[in-house]
Amino acid sequence: MSMTELRNVEVDLCRFRSRVLVASLVVLFAFALLIARLVFLQVVRHEDLNEQAESNRTAIVPIVPNRGLILDRNGVVLASNYSAYTLEITPSKIDNLDETITALGKVVDIQLRDKRRFKRLRDESKNFESLPIRTRLTDEEVARFAAQRFRFPGVDIKARLFRSYPLGELGSHVIGYMGRINPAEKEIIQDSDDEGNYRGTDYIGKLGVEQSFEQQLHGTTGVEQVETSAAGRAVRKLATNPATPGDTVMLSLDIRLQKLVEDMFGNRRGALVALDPKTGDVLAFVSKPTFDPNLFVDGIDTESWQALNESIDKPLLNRALRGTYPPGSTYKPFMAMAALQTGKRSPSFIVNDNASYTFGGHTFRSHGDIALGAVDMYRAIVKSSNVYFYSLANDLGVDTIHDFMKPLGFGQITGIDINGEVRGVLPSQEWKRNTYKKPEQKKWYLGETISLGIGQGYNTFTMLQLAQATAILANNGIKHKPRLVIGTQDPLTHTMHPLPAEPPVDLGYKAENLAIVHKALVGVTLEGTSARVFAGAGYLSAGKTGTAQAVTIGQKDKYNGAKLEEHQRDHAVYMAFAPADNPKIALAVIVENAGWGAGVAAPIARRVFDYVLLGQYPSEEDMAAVQKGLAGAPIGKPRLAADMAGLLVTGVGGAAPVPPAGLQAAAAAAKVAKAAKKATAIAEAVSKFVPPVTALDPNAD
């Protein structure tokens, strides 16, 4: 007989209640977690999440500022800007880059050089960066691409500002150029306090004033906050903080004088630096050959770069700043000052110049093997006696020479306000010990001092250093630091801010010693080695010719330039200042491998002085003679410098009139504004196709 099992109701009820309780607790815990999460998100992380949401809804677009203008001392525009459209590719957004570029080439003209430049930029950049494949698109090309924009994901049109150098090659080593920011420069910017100010900036100053005054020229980057759709298209503008244009930078340079000098050099190599001896302002800073900085504006192509970089003439070398040369006989006036200041020689001390000087069994020759006979200091400078200065160098000794020449700036960094200056060599016993490794090389031999007296031996200086030393001599021993930039102008208030000059330094030369050397330098132009060149000048100048060896010629060998390769021939050098009694300009000039300073370099100096002091410009036949190294005193009727302002355009027969100085900056600004307005109009016309983009004497020397 089976018995029916009776359930314990109380036990079941207790179990049920326990389960309900556990379930309730789980539900309550879950709700507690939800509430806690809600509080965390809505209260604790409110600001952070609100920021993220806002960033998803909005985009911050940098507004690249207009770069500041560069003007010469008279207001002539040397560097300005213009707006243009570029066709850009973001490699990370494209599956087959080669096919895309081929297809683009059927819509917009893309040359082989454009592809090469794009490849180089891609190698230097990150994959997600937007890179230009074509720059400076025409209005027609913009419209043509816009109509087919849908076919090219990852390809956009961007409006950019481009740098323009309206005078081309003229003054290029001083002005410098703009180039794309390379990885090393990008790393420096990212580690600096200016990182935010370079958002959206792809180009930076590379040489000259463009590089050295990058901070002033760049300006302040602005930002624009826009609301975007889910597809990333701009819906509306929310806020704008406009960019502040860069300052206008004004140079001490007279670009018309600069052009005159560059034209006189013609196709020859060399350098000239002209200074105002009373202020240190640079009036001309010439290095030949030059280059066209416009080649670098949107990335130089391979062929142009190879032509510049591999040329035997080295057009990218700033010879005025970085070229070092023996000063030759232009060193002799400074040696004379050293003799007078140290008391080693009196001006009446006589040396018998028999065309050679023997020391330690070695014979040092004189130029042309011409004996000058008895010479005092005046005659030694005027007739450029080597023997006199061989003897003087031996009397002074290398360290005394070094200690006197150092304050003059020889073998020193002058501190001019552009980067890249080199020091050259002002030898001393300590210098030789530190320079050479072998014990026998470290020792200074007394015979090595002899050639220093005529500016040879280990002496190598820049034309900037020689020009500064000449200016000091002209300014009675008062030394000014050379400078190229004299002021900046605020782009908003148009207020000029002169840059303060460093206080001058008095080297303490005795007036009677200066008078002796000045008289001798004037004698050079009246009865000495440059007398033929300065015949008939309407002013009195002071100067010294020099011939600097490019290669060493044996003492028993006679120099014959015709038998040497062109790059082995002597350099022609000249230093001078004028007017002699109240100098307004001091200069140093070298023409490489051109021969005697009196026949080649001094004529250039004469025309510079005529321009600055008399307002005269060489006649056409005179200019041709100077360029060929066949000039003496000016020939033909000189032209008025004021009538030659239109020659600021490079090219034969092409003369674009230059607006008056005061209108230059305004004209450039108006041109930029007009271009920007045009770019905006084009952007609005194609906005339905194009997504939003980032804004814009043959025997003497």
Side-chain angles (χ1 to χ4, degrees):
M1 177 177 176
S2 62
M3 296 182 61
T4 303
E5 182 179 354
L6 297 176
R7 299 177 61 184
N8 190 326
V9 177
E10 290 296 329
V11 172
D12 288 344
L13 187 59
C14 183
R15 186 179 300 146
F16 173 76
R17 288 171 177 168
S18 299
R19 290 174 179 173
V20 170
L21 179 61
V22 170
S24 299
L25 290 174
V26 170
V27 171
L28 287 173
F29 181 72
F31 271 102
L33 287 176
L34 289 173
I35 293 170
R37 182 63 177 169
L38 186 62
V39 170
F40 176 75
L41 294 175
Q42 293 291 333
V43 179
V44 178
R45 294 200 59 199
H46 171 75
E47 291 186 9
D48 183 36
L49 294 174
N50 185 59
E51 229 174 80
Q52 288 185 29
E54 191 67 16
S55 67
N56 290 333
R57 185 180 70 90
T58 63
I60 302 297
V61 180
I63 304 174
V64 180
N66 285 356
R67 192 170 179 86
L69 306 179
I70 300 178
L71 314 177
D72 88 330
R73 68 187 299 116
N74 298 309
V76 178
V77 177
L78 308 180
S80 59
N81 312 295
Y82 67 93
S83 179
Y85 276 93
T86 66
L87 187 65
E88 306 208 0
I89 297 175
T90 305
S92 62
K93 296 181 180 180
I94 297 176
D95 295 330
N96 193 316
L97 190 59
D98 292 335
E99 286 185 4
T100 299
I101 293 176
T102 301
L104 280 172
K106 298 177 181 178
V107 179
V108 174
D109 182 30
I110 298 177
Q111 299 289 330
L112 181 60
R113 65 174 179 271
D114 298 320
K115 297 177 182 179
R116 289 173 176 169
R117 183 178 64 241
F118 179 80
K119 183 180 183 303
R120 179 171 55 82
L121 292 175
R122 188 184 175 196
D123 292 340
E124 295 175 354
S125 308
K126 296 177 182 177
N127 204 40
F128 57 81
E129 291 182 331
S130 177
L131 306 174
I133 182 70
R134 252 297 308 279
T135 59
R136 291 178 278 188
L137 298 174
T138 65
D139 296 352
E140 181 183 346
E141 287 174 320
V142 171
R144 196 160 58 234
F145 172 79
Q148 301 189 49
R149 165 71 181 82
F150 65 94
R151 294 175 49 203
F152 301 101
V155 183
D156 296 318
I157 288 179
K158 289 193 176 184
R160 293 187 183 272
L161 283 173
F162 288 87
R163 201 60 161 165
S164 173
Y165 302 96
L167 303 182
E169 296 187 3
L170 185 56
S172 57
H173 288 98
V174 176
I175 301 165
Y177 66 88
M178 295 286 292
R180 193 172 182 88
I181 298 174
N182 60 39
E185 291 165 336
K186 185 175 295 186
E187 189 174 330
I188 293 173
I189 292 172
Q190 289 172 347
D191 293 339
S192 72
D193 296 334
D194 280 341
E195 181 183 8
N197 197 36
Y198 277 84
R199 284 191 61 197
T201 300
D202 296 320
Y203 296 85
I204 197 171
K206 295 286 186 174
L207 286 178
V209 174
E210 290 278 29
Q211 179 189 50
S212 302
F213 286 81
E214 168 67 29
Q215 187 174 4
Q216 291 87 342
L217 289 165
H218 179 265
T220 304
T221 299
V223 293
E224 184 175 87
Q225 187 180 28
V226 295
E227 185 176 357
T228 59
S229 66
R233 294 180 58 87
V235 177
R236 61 191 177 99
K237 186 188 300 182
L238 300 176
T240 300
N241 182 18
T244 303
D247 290 344
T248 293
V249 172
M250 179 168 282
L251 309 186
S252 60
L253 209 68
D254 181 343
I255 200 63
R256 296 183 177 96
L257 173 60
Q258 181 89 9
K259 176 170 174 54
L260 169 61
V261 176
E262 291 190 13
D263 286 350
M264 285 192 291
F265 268 91
N267 296 323
R268 299 172 297 179
R269 301 174 302 279
L272 178 146
V273 177
L275 304 173
D276 182 338
K278 292 182 171 60
T279 64
D281 291 351
V282 178
L283 305 177
F285 201 85
V286 173
S287 175
K288 287 284 290 185
T290 56
F291 63 91
D292 186 355
N294 290 298
L295 291 172
F296 295 88
V297 167
D298 56 354
I300 190 170
D301 60 272
T302 304
E303 293 84 354
S304 296
W305 172 250
Q306 287 179 341
L308 290 172
N309 197 43
E310 297 175 5
S311 170
I312 192 173
D313 292 331
K314 299 181 180 179
L316 294 176
L317 171 64
N318 188 336
R319 286 168 161 81
L321 191 72
R322 299 181 58 80
T324 56
Y325 310 88
S329 292
T330 62
Y331 205 47
K332 292 174 181 177
F334 306 102
M335 288 292 295
M337 278 299 302
L340 294 170
Q341 285 294 119
T342 59
K344 289 289 185 178
R345 287 274 175 92
S346 69
S348 60
F349 184 87
I350 300 295
V351 171
N352 184 34
D353 184 343
N354 59 2
S356 66
Y357 179 80
T358 302
F359 181 86
H362 186 79
T363 299
F364 296 84
R365 66 184 183 188
S366 188
H367 44 67
D369 297 325
I370 297 176
L372 297 175
V375 293
D376 58 5
M377 184 175 288
Y378 174 87
R379 183 172 165 81
I381 294 175
V382 171
K383 298 301 180 181
S384 199
S385 168
N386 278 2
V387 174
Y388 183 95
F389 289 97
Y390 286 145
S391 170
L392 177 57
N394 185 46
D395 290 348
L396 289 172
V398 60
D399 289 336
T400 299
I401 296 173
H402 171 274
D403 294 346
F404 181 83
M405 299 298 178
K406 183 177 179 180
L408 281 163
F410 288 114
Q412 314 302 309
I413 298 297
T414 68
I416 193 172
D417 48 356
I418 55 173
N419 300 334
E421 183 180 5
V422 299
R423 185 175 297 274
V425 175
L426 177 64
S428 67
Q429 293 190 66
E430 182 182 4
W431 165 83
K432 197 177 184 190
R433 284 194 299 268
N434 295 334
T435 302
Y436 292 96
K437 295 181 179 180
K438 296 180 180 179
E440 63 272 19
Q441 293 177 318
K442 290 177 174 289
K443 182 181 178 181
W444 185 271
Y445 298 94
L446 294 178
E448 293 176 313
T449 307
I450 308 303
S451 57
L452 300 181
I454 63 166
Q456 296 289 164
Y458 292 109
N459 289 323
T460 56
F461 312 125
T462 66
M463 284 302 104
L464 174 59
Q465 291 169 355
L466 182 56
Q468 183 188 36
T470 303
I472 295 170
L473 204 57
N475 200 33
N476 298 320
I478 307 298
K479 178 181 180 179
H480 288 275
K481 182 178 177 180
R483 65 171 185 166
L484 276 161
V485 176
I486 57 177
T488 61
Q489 183 181 46
D490 188 290
L492 303 180
T493 65
H494 303 292
T495 304
M496 283 297 301
H497 301 286
L499 294 183
E502 289 190 10
V505 178
D506 189 342
L507 299 187
Y509 296 161
K510 294 180 180 180
E512 57 268 29
N513 294 338
L514 285 162
I516 292 165
V517 175
H518 282 193
K519 180 181 178 181
L521 292 175
V522 171
V524 171
T525 66
L526 294 178
E527 55 176 315
T529 53
S530 64
R532 183 174 65 92
V533 173
F534 283 89
Y539 50 85
L540 202 60
S541 69
K544 182 70 190 77
T545 55
T547 302
Q549 287 183 350
V551 295
T552 301
I553 303 296
Q555 288 293 329
K556 295 181 180 180
D557 299 327
K558 188 172 183 178
Y559 176 82
N560 187 342
K563 293 183 178 180
L564 294 173
E565 294 291 334
E566 197 264 345
H567 280 74
Q568 296 179 323
R569 297 170 188 166
D570 290 347
H571 306 311
V573 194
Y574 194 66
M575 57 79 80
F577 56 88
D581 57 343
N582 184 25
K584 295 181 179 179
I585 180 173
L587 61 77
V589 55
I590 187 167
V591 184
E592 290 185 9
N593 312 115
W596 309 108
V600 180
I604 294 176
R606 165 72 191 267
R607 277 74 178 171
V608 170
F609 291 164
D610 286 354
Y611 175 92
V612 174
L613 303 177
L614 305 177
Q616 294 179 351
Y617 204 93
S619 64
E620 291 185 8
E621 57 266 42
D622 189 43
M623 178 69 79
V626 174
Q627 290 173 343
K628 296 176 182 177
L630 302 175
I635 57 175
K637 184 178 180 180
R639 296 170 283 184
L640 291 177
D643 295 340
M644 306 306 294
L647 289 179
L648 279 178
V649 169
T650 304
V652 178
V658 178
L663 300 180
Q664 286 287 326
K671 185 177 180 181
V672 173
K674 183 178 180 181
K677 185 176 181 181
K678 179 180 179 182
T680 302
I682 295 174
E684 291 174 353
V686 301
S687 59
K688 63 177 69 179
F689 301 107
V690 186
V693 296
T694 301
L696 307 208
D697 188 315
N699 292 320
D701 59 359

